[in-house]
């Protein structure tokens, strides 16, 4: 049983007894793994920073095919995204990203594109870019990475390319012309600006995408469209989404958080 080396981002962490952890880690070359790391908590508290959720780590592990858990023998932080941890809004968005990745991945299903999306999104989140802007880019990019890219070039139902009133339907998988929207059970009106914003994002990497300007109205429309898409194709029960709404509407929560630092 050879030792495997990879890098990964810690999605979940559980403490076991006084000395060990169970980790769920989304790795670059082996997909999502679930493994135990023994004997590191009590004896070596100075290394605890290596084992925080969301860290990008270098890991060594043994794959144990007949066991529920792999055996992790090394885990060292490469990129701890410390700035995210100092800002409750950014921290909550990062938890949303992690939750989303955890929902759409299964063990050992390798998707380097998805891994790159997560690591780039966390890197951007630890900078100055508006987290809401990063979230829309991240949602689009992961939909693209798992084969659920919304159809934005033509009506997703009839294929028409030129029409003035544009609608968006998650069940049909993209934009609709007015005629098809009349026959769809669910659709929402969307501007050309929002559609062009999404198309642009899909063509470039995340760091460049964060510099693409979008009007407030188009950003709101994009958020509604992507939220409907994710609810329909992935899941609608995100613990973190409601908390993001609470945070953005109640600044007192942020002040409380800052006072605890
Ligand atoms: Zn149509």
């Amino acid at each position: 049983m050879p030792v495997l080396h990879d890098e990964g981002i810690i999605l979940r962490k559980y403490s076991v007894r006084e000395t060990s952890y169970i980790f769920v880690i989304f790795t670059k070359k082996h997909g999502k793994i679930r493994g135990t790391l023994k004997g590191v908590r009590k004896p070596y508290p100075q290394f605890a920073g290596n084992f925080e959720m969301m860290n990008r780590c270098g890991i060594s592990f043994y794959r144990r095919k007949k066991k529920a858990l792999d055996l992790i023998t090394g885990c060292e932080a490469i990129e701890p995204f410390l700035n995210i941890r100092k800002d409750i809004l950014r921290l909550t968005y990062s938890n949303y990203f992690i939750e989303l990745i955890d929902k759409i991945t299964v063990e050992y299903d390798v998707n380097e594109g998805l891994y790159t999306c997560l690591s780039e999104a966390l890197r951007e989140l630890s900078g100055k870019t508006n987290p809401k802007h990063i979230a829309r880019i991240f949602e689009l990019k992961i939909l693209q990475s798992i084969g659920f890219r919304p159809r934005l070039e033509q009506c997703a139902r009839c294929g028409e390319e030129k029409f003035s009133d544009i609608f968006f339907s998650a069940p049909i998988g993209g934009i609709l012309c007015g005629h098809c929207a009349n026959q769809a059970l669910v659709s929402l009106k969307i501007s050309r600006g929002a559609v062009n914003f999404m198309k642009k994002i899909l063509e470039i990497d995340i760091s460049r995408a964060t510099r693409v300007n979008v009007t407030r109205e188009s950003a709101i429309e994009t958020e509604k469209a992507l939220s409907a898409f994710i609810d329909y194709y992935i899941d609608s029960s995100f613990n973190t989404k409601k908390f993001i709404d609470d945070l953005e509407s109640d600044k007192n929560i942020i002040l409380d958080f800052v006072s605890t630092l």
Side-chain angles (χ1 to χ4, degrees):
M1 190 168 61
V3 63
L4 302 169
H5 301 284
D6 203 343
E7 65 166 75
I9 293 169
I10 299 176
L11 303 182
R12 278 183 277 151
K13 175 180 90 170
Y14 306 96
S15 299
V16 183
R17 299 200 187 91
E18 291 198 332
T19 57
S20 304
Y21 293 112
I22 290 173
F23 288 118
V24 178
I25 303 178
F26 184 44
T27 70
K28 186 175 185 179
K29 293 183 288 191
H30 298 85
K32 184 162 74 176
I33 69 160
R34 198 180 299 267
T36 180
L37 178 65
K38 295 180 177 173
V40 290
R41 286 181 60 207
K42 267 277 173 72
Y44 307 109
Q46 68 271 35
F47 298 132
N50 283 316
F51 313 128
E52 296 296 335
M53 266 183 64
M54 197 213 328
N55 275 0
R56 187 165 75 87
C57 304
I59 61 165
S60 308
F61 68 104
Y62 291 94
R63 174 110 186 252
R64 300 195 298 180
K65 291 185 180 171
K66 291 181 181 166
K67 306 258 186 174
L69 294 169
D70 291 331
L71 183 64
I72 299 171
T73 53
C75 177
E76 192 168 341
I78 302 169
E79 201 172 3
F81 304 113
L82 292 176
N83 285 339
I84 295 177
R85 300 174 203 278
K86 297 174 189 165
D87 180 324
I88 191 170
L89 188 59
R90 288 178 187 276
L91 185 61
T92 308
Y93 269 102
S94 73
N95 286 334
Y96 169 55
F97 295 175
I98 296 266
E99 193 180 358
L100 202 43
I101 291 289
D102 203 11
K103 277 182 194 282
I104 61 176
T105 49
V106 292
E107 272 83 5
Y108 301 107
D109 189 8
V110 181
N111 187 332
E112 276 201 43
L114 199 56
Y115 179 81
T116 302
C117 279
L118 179 60
S119 53
E120 286 186 358
L122 292 175
R123 198 164 298 127
E124 290 299 324
L125 204 54
S126 64
K128 301 281 186 206
T129 309
N130 180 342
K132 197 185 262 286
H133 192 56
I134 301 168
R136 302 296 82 80
I137 294 166
F138 179 68
E139 288 169 340
L140 259 176
K141 288 294 192 185
I142 64 158
L143 286 168
Q144 185 177 36
S145 290
I146 61 173
F148 285 100
R149 180 194 191 282
R151 286 181 68 185
L152 302 169
E153 288 70 25
Q154 53 194 198
C155 174
R157 189 164 177 272
C158 73
E160 179 62 50
E161 291 181 1
K162 289 193 170 66
F163 45 92
S164 50
D165 288 338
I166 311 173
F167 297 82
F168 187 92
S169 167
I172 297 177
I175 59 169
L176 295 180
C177 66
H179 175 71
C180 291
N182 280 336
Q183 297 173 33
L185 286 177
V186 187
S187 68
L188 53 98
K189 194 137 185 358
I190 192 166
S191 65
R192 176 63 64 189
V195 173
N196 286 343
F197 170 63
M198 289 192 276
K199 281 163 72 176
K200 182 76 184 164
I201 295 308
L202 288 164
E203 291 167 4
I204 55 182
D205 63 32
I206 288 183
S207 64
R208 286 177 61 210
T210 57
R211 297 196 289 274
V212 175
N213 290 324
V214 60
T215 64
R216 185 177 150 75
E217 291 72 27
S218 293
I220 292 169
E221 289 171 2
T222 303
E223 181 174 357
K224 285 183 183 163
L226 291 176
S227 180
F229 217 78
I230 286 171
D231 284 358
Y232 190 82
Y233 291 102
I234 299 177
D235 200 337
S236 57
S237 57
F238 284 92
N239 299 326
T240 41
K241 258 187 165 178
K242 173 152 190 336
F243 192 53
I244 287 172
D245 292 341
D246 290 348
L247 278 177
E248 288 177 336
S249 61
D250 184 356
K251 298 297 177 204
N252 287 329
I253 301 176
I254 296 178
L255 291 174
D256 282 351
F257 175 77
V258 170
S259 70
T260 63
L261 289 176

